[in-house]
Amino acid sequence: MMLKKRPDIDRVRGCLYGQAVGDALGLGSEFMTKEEVKACYPDGLRYYDQIVQDYHRRRWPRGAWTDDTDMMLCILTAFSDGAFDLRQVAQNFKDWAADEPLGIGSHTSKVLWMSDYVDDPEKCAKLWWDLSRQQSAANGALMRTSVVGLAPVDVEAQAAAICRLTHYDPRCVGSCVILSLMIHHLVWYDRELSFGEIRDIARRYDERIVEWIDLALEAEEISALQLDESTSIGYTLKALAAALWCYRHAESFEAGLLAVVNEGGDADTNAAIACALLGAKFSYSSIPSYYIDHLHDRRIFDHHADHFITLLSAE
Ligand SMILES: [Mg+2]
């Protein structure tokens, strides 16, 4: 008799909490240049309590996650019978946007605000992509995709479909599939995808992804990615590269977290993505307890994570 495959729950938890922790600490340097990060945090940004209370940041309590993790939870709560219910995900996105959340991305809000969004989300996503002359390739789908990698089966198809609920560009779809499959292999097969395998996935979607994979592999310092460079802030391949850099070069969860947040740029999103992957790689037990214990609304997060893990374990 074949034994049924089981997910590694320590890695599942690491992925979920890693996302929230990266998001919450990354808010501390979101939209700053690296120079501004150094000026605000001379000894480095390390703790939620340090987060400066300027006009942008004081809208959130210290230790709170932002839109990245809100949207991840919209996906997580649509999990039933072993898969994510696409229509429910779209409905959850719509309901979330109706509450006028803080920090919602401009591309995402344009798509979600269309009146027929829930009935045909992909059409709405494609319309706004076409209106951008097929240039818009923001990180708004990648920032929420980590949980899709935890599903037992059909991860590639689900990651692509959930991405296209708002982001139609093949660079967005490819980056969501790559991150989700990397997490899936860690959690379900205890296996790290190689950079060769990651390139092969990328080529199925868009050749432009490959140069960012190579940059992440070859850069000795994360600063080579220029995460704070203003014209490409929010680009999906830049955020993917930050996560891949951490996957290849960071020696621990905390080392990766601190490397990303101290670069500035779209730091909450970059760290949410990178730390979901690092949490799956190094496991929940590797995340320093401070970051979990001081998450704002930690009980709410525990409730969602525990419920999801119960459903996953019952599969
Ligand atoms: Mg955010």
Side-chain angles (χ1 to χ4, degrees), residues 23 27 30 60 65-69 102-103 143 266 268-269:
D23 188 0
L27 176 65
E30 184 188 17
W60 287 269
W65 65 78
T66 74
D67 58 324
D68 312 61
T69 303
L102 297 175
M143 73 182 195
D266 202 353
D268 61 330
T269 294

Side-chain angles (χ1 to χ4, degrees), residues 33-138:
T33 64
K34 192 168 180 178
E35 290 308 307
E36 287 167 339
V37 179
K38 279 189 189 147
C40 285
Y41 310 106
D43 298 321
L45 171 59
R46 187 176 198 119
Y47 302 110
Y48 307 133
D49 322 1
Q50 291 172 278
I51 294 177
V52 293
Q53 297 297 285
D54 58 6
Y55 176 76
H56 176 54
R57 271 157 272 275
R58 70 177 181 228
R59 298 178 294 160
W60 287 269
R62 288 182 171 118
W65 65 78
T66 74
D67 58 324
D68 312 61
T69 303
D70 280 343
M71 293 195 82
M72 185 275 277
L73 291 172
C74 288
I75 301 172
L76 178 149
T77 51
F79 186 78
S80 71
D81 294 330
F84 298 98
D85 178 333
L86 259 193
R87 189 179 169 91
Q88 187 64 54
V89 175
Q91 185 68 57
N92 291 348
F93 286 170
K94 183 81 175 172
D95 293 346
W96 170 75
D99 281 343
E100 298 185 23
L102 297 175
I104 184 169
S106 75
H107 175 90
T108 300
S109 66
K110 284 175 196 157
V111 175
L112 294 182
W113 274 100
M114 294 188 70
S115 58
D116 57 347
Y117 175 73
V118 177
D119 290 326
D120 199 348
E122 195 170 309
K123 184 194 80 181
C124 298
K126 182 164 187 309
L127 174 79
W128 283 103
W129 182 60
D130 286 338
L131 286 171
S132 79
R133 288 177 288 148
Q134 306 189 341
Q135 297 297 307
S136 175

Side-chain angles (χ1 to χ4, degrees), residues 15-294:
C15 174
L16 294 172
Y17 284 84
Q19 157 112 21
V21 164
D23 188 0
L25 189 64
L27 176 65
S29 59
E30 184 188 17
F31 302 142
M32 290 184 187
T33 64
K34 192 168 180 178
E35 290 308 307
E36 287 167 339
V37 179
K38 279 189 189 147
C40 285
Y41 310 106
D43 298 321
L45 171 59
R46 187 176 198 119
Y47 302 110
Y48 307 133
D49 322 1
Q50 291 172 278
I51 294 177
V52 293
Q53 297 297 285
D54 58 6
Y55 176 76
H56 176 54
R57 271 157 272 275
R58 70 177 181 228
R59 298 178 294 160
W60 287 269
R62 288 182 171 118
W65 65 78
T66 74
D67 58 324
D68 312 61
T69 303
D70 280 343
M71 293 195 82
M72 185 275 277
L73 291 172
C74 288
I75 301 172
L76 178 149
T77 51
F79 186 78
S80 71
D81 294 330
F84 298 98
D85 178 333
L86 259 193
R87 189 179 169 91
Q88 187 64 54
V89 175
Q91 185 68 57
N92 291 348
F93 286 170
K94 183 81 175 172
D95 293 346
W96 170 75
D99 281 343
E100 298 185 23
L102 297 175
I104 184 169
S106 75
H107 175 90
T108 300
S109 66
K110 284 175 196 157
V111 175
L112 294 182
W113 274 100
M114 294 188 70
S115 58
D116 57 347
Y117 175 73
V118 177
D119 290 326
D120 199 348
E122 195 170 309
K123 184 194 80 181
C124 298
K126 182 164 187 309
L127 174 79
W128 283 103
W129 182 60
D130 286 338
L131 286 171
S132 79
R133 288 177 288 148
Q134 306 189 341
Q135 297 297 307
S136 175
N139 57 19
L142 183 59
M143 73 182 195
R144 66 188 191 219
T145 199
S146 57
V147 67
V148 182
L150 305 178
V153 291
D154 294 335
V155 165
E156 179 158 1
Q158 294 190 79
I162 291 172
C163 176
R164 290 194 192 103
L165 291 177
T166 51
H167 290 67
Y168 203 81
D169 191 282
R171 291 166 290 177
C172 298
V173 180
S175 46
C176 284
V177 168
I178 288 169
L179 189 85
S180 303
L181 284 177
M182 290 173 77
I183 289 170
H184 183 71
H185 279 83
L186 287 164
V187 164
W188 284 87
Y189 300 100
D190 197 19
R191 193 168 87 74
E192 291 183 28
L193 287 186
S194 71
F195 271 69
E197 290 172 306
I198 295 167
R199 280 190 207 94
D200 288 343
I201 301 168
R203 290 198 181 94
R204 297 206 285 271
Y205 293 90
D206 197 306
E207 195 63 38
R208 288 171 287 183
I209 304 171
V210 175
E211 62 185 286
W212 288 87
I213 295 171
D214 291 341
L215 179 61
L217 177 64
E218 287 155 17
E220 289 196 9
E221 303 291 334
I222 193 170
S223 56
L225 304 179
Q226 299 185 300
L227 296 179
D228 64 342
E229 196 275 312
S230 62
T231 59
S232 60
I233 193 171
Y235 182 34
T236 191
L237 297 183
K238 186 158 263 200
L240 178 69
L244 292 175
W245 186 90
C246 288
Y247 178 74
R248 173 73 176 77
H249 302 279
E251 288 181 355
S252 67
F253 178 90
E254 190 175 24
L257 168 68
L258 299 182
V260 174
V261 301
N262 282 287
E263 290 296 308
D266 202 353
D268 61 330
T269 294
N270 292 339
I273 298 163
C275 290
L277 181 60
L278 291 173
K281 179 177 176 183
F282 293 112
S283 297
Y284 180 79
S285 48
S286 79
I287 303 176
S289 58
Y290 164 87
Y291 293 113
I292 309 282
D293 294 343
H294 292 83

